[in-house]
Amino acid sequence: MARKNLIGISDSPAAPLDAERPAVERPIAGLAPGKRTNALVGGITRSLTNITQKVERAEELERQLAQGHAIVELDPDLIDASFVVDRLGVTPEVQAALVEQIRDHGQQVPILVRPHPEAENRYQVAYGHRRLAALREIGGKVKAVIRALSDEQLVISQGQENNARTDLSFIERSLFAARLEDRGFSRETIMSAIGVDKAALSKMITVVRRLPVEIIEAIGAAPSFGRRRWMELADRLENSGRRAKALSHIRQSVFTEMDSDRRFEKLFALLAETRTRARSEAWLAPDRTRPVRIRDTDTETTLAFSKKAAPGFAEFVRQRLDALYLEYQQETGD
């Protein structure tokens, strides 16, 4: 079945949009207070304009999806979540703001659901999970558009709505993509859902594959950090000792009580590789010569043989490594 292009710009006046993300004032890196140049102000204005346009496109997408379909009121208890999770949690403050907005002004934009493919007289959300949660807290019915969607159509609608709002962080979108791939969706479908090309999608999924999912979920959305920083975190977790240290740290209450960006920063700093100074000493042989220098670090021990002090000793040891290793195993029980 051919799909319509769901994202467009309409001449009709924009309907009010649920305030799912309150505005956050962020400092501008590298800018001293009171020293904003005209060029910088212009750049900020353009950025704000881009964000506004994305929100408007999200509104338009939802209006077009609702167009020609009746908006009905459903009991929230009859609606289940999408079969693929796309968020790593929402802060209580952000959700409370949405609840207050809907309580004061009502639900302005319907959610999109489909008849549940496995449960009669139930529904499954394509998008609008936070609005649904808010209505459950407030009480009463939820406004919804019901459409017969295939699994592919559902995840594309779910992903496109989030993309239009710039609502998910890099790691949330990457984890969503990896979960879709794990469920057998094609790369083409995933690219349509999250709005990226083949190369970008490959990089996003690679990040997720290199990280323990438990660590991703413990950190959360970390909206301030993109692909480069997550790849650096993955590099630091290559070492099995640091990975075990990270898994232990994320289970501590002091870690879970931080906000998501702070959790990323603390874990990143915790895993910084500490380079201890190498310890080096000369081995004193029974004949009082020093034919071997031993160098120790946290990860390896190196023997350097002096060809001047004991010519051929290195080869003598090399030929006996098998016997030495077997003796070591017998001694240690390994």
Side-chain angles (χ1 to χ4, degrees):
M1 180 177 68
R3 298 191 186 96
K4 295 181 180 179
N5 180 8
L6 299 179
I7 301 178
I9 302 298
S10 169
D11 292 330
S12 60
L17 179 65
D18 295 345
E20 296 198 356
R21 171 171 283 183
V24 178
E25 186 175 275
R26 296 182 180 273
I28 301 170
L31 181 64
K35 302 217 175 198
R36 300 190 179 186
T37 66
N38 290 335
L40 180 56
V41 172
I44 296 170
T45 303
R46 286 192 295 274
S47 296
L48 293 174
T49 300
N50 291 337
I51 293 171
T52 302
Q53 289 173 348
K54 288 227 174 191
V55 172
E56 289 173 350
R57 285 200 295 273
E59 292 179 350
E60 183 59 26
L61 178 142
E62 292 173 324
R63 283 197 297 274
Q64 290 189 24
L65 284 173
Q67 197 171 39
H69 295 79
I71 297 175
V72 299
E73 293 189 340
L74 299 175
D75 183 342
D77 291 337
L78 297 177
I79 304 173
D80 297 319
S82 169
F83 59 89
V84 183
V85 176
D86 57 15
R87 290 185 184 276
L88 286 169
V90 179
T91 65
E93 296 79 10
V94 170
Q95 188 63 20
L98 177 60
V99 169
E100 191 65 23
Q101 191 272 337
I102 294 178
R103 197 192 306 275
D104 291 343
H105 304 288
Q107 181 190 352
Q108 301 297 320
V109 179
I111 68 173
L112 178 64
V113 302
R114 70 171 178 176
H116 201 294
E118 298 174 358
E120 190 175 358
N121 297 322
R122 295 192 66 80
Y123 304 91
Q124 193 172 55
V125 179
Y127 61 71
H129 289 83
R130 290 173 55 201
R131 275 165 277 173
L132 177 61
L135 266 299
R136 282 182 174 142
E137 181 175 338
I138 294 169
K141 305 288 187 179
V142 58
K143 295 177 183 177
V145 172
I146 305 173
R147 296 188 68 194
L149 300 170
S150 66
D151 286 353
E152 288 79 8
Q153 290 170 326
L154 183 142
V155 299
I156 288 173
S157 295
Q158 182 178 351
Q160 286 185 346
E161 198 266 354
N162 284 325
N163 292 338
R165 293 186 185 282
T166 60
D167 210 15
L168 299 183
S169 68
F170 167 80
I171 198 62
E172 284 179 307
R173 296 174 72 221
S174 300
L175 187 58
F176 181 50
R179 285 169 170 165
L180 291 178
E181 185 172 69
D182 290 343
R183 284 182 167 268
F185 289 97
S186 69
R187 287 282 175 109
E188 287 71 22
T189 297
I190 302 171
M191 287 188 288
S192 296
I194 63 175
V196 297
D197 60 24
K198 188 174 182 179
L201 176 61
S202 179
K203 292 176 182 177
M204 294 168 77
I205 292 179
T206 296
V207 171
V208 174
R209 300 300 185 211
R210 292 189 60 201
L211 289 160
V213 172
E214 184 180 356
I215 287 179
I216 295 175
E217 291 178 338
I219 291 174
S224 297
F225 301 99
R227 185 180 73 88
R228 183 179 63 82
R229 294 300 300 279
W230 279 99
M231 284 293 283
E232 290 174 355
L233 180 64
D235 290 340
R236 296 185 178 193
L237 288 166
E238 289 286 333
N239 179 285
S240 59
R242 288 199 293 273
R243 180 173 294 211
K245 184 178 182 180
L247 289 170
S248 173
H249 187 71
I250 63 176
R251 299 183 183 116
Q252 298 176 13
S253 59
V254 66
F255 181 82
T256 58
E257 290 167 359
M258 302 175 188
D259 66 45
S260 183
D261 279 342
R262 186 64 176 153
R263 289 196 293 269
F264 183 98
E265 291 172 344
K266 292 295 287 186
L267 190 62
F268 193 86
L270 178 74
L271 298 176
E273 185 175 1
T274 55
R275 299 184 180 275
T276 57
R277 188 172 181 178
R279 299 175 297 279
S280 181
E281 62 178 341
W283 172 63
L284 182 63
D287 63 358
R288 312 307 293 174
T289 62
R290 299 181 185 272
V292 180
R293 178 162 289 279
I294 305 170
R295 184 176 182 273
D296 261 330
T297 69
D298 290 339
T299 58
E300 65 181 9
T301 299
T302 306
L303 303 181
F305 293 85
S306 170
K307 292 182 178 181
K308 181 178 180 180
F313 184 43
E315 183 60 27
F316 177 87
V317 172
R318 182 184 291 116
Q319 291 177 359
R320 286 162 177 73
L321 281 177
D322 288 348
L324 287 170
Y325 189 72
L326 290 173
E327 184 180 346
Y328 155 77
Q329 288 184 314
Q330 290 171 357
E331 289 285 336
T332 61
D334 289 348

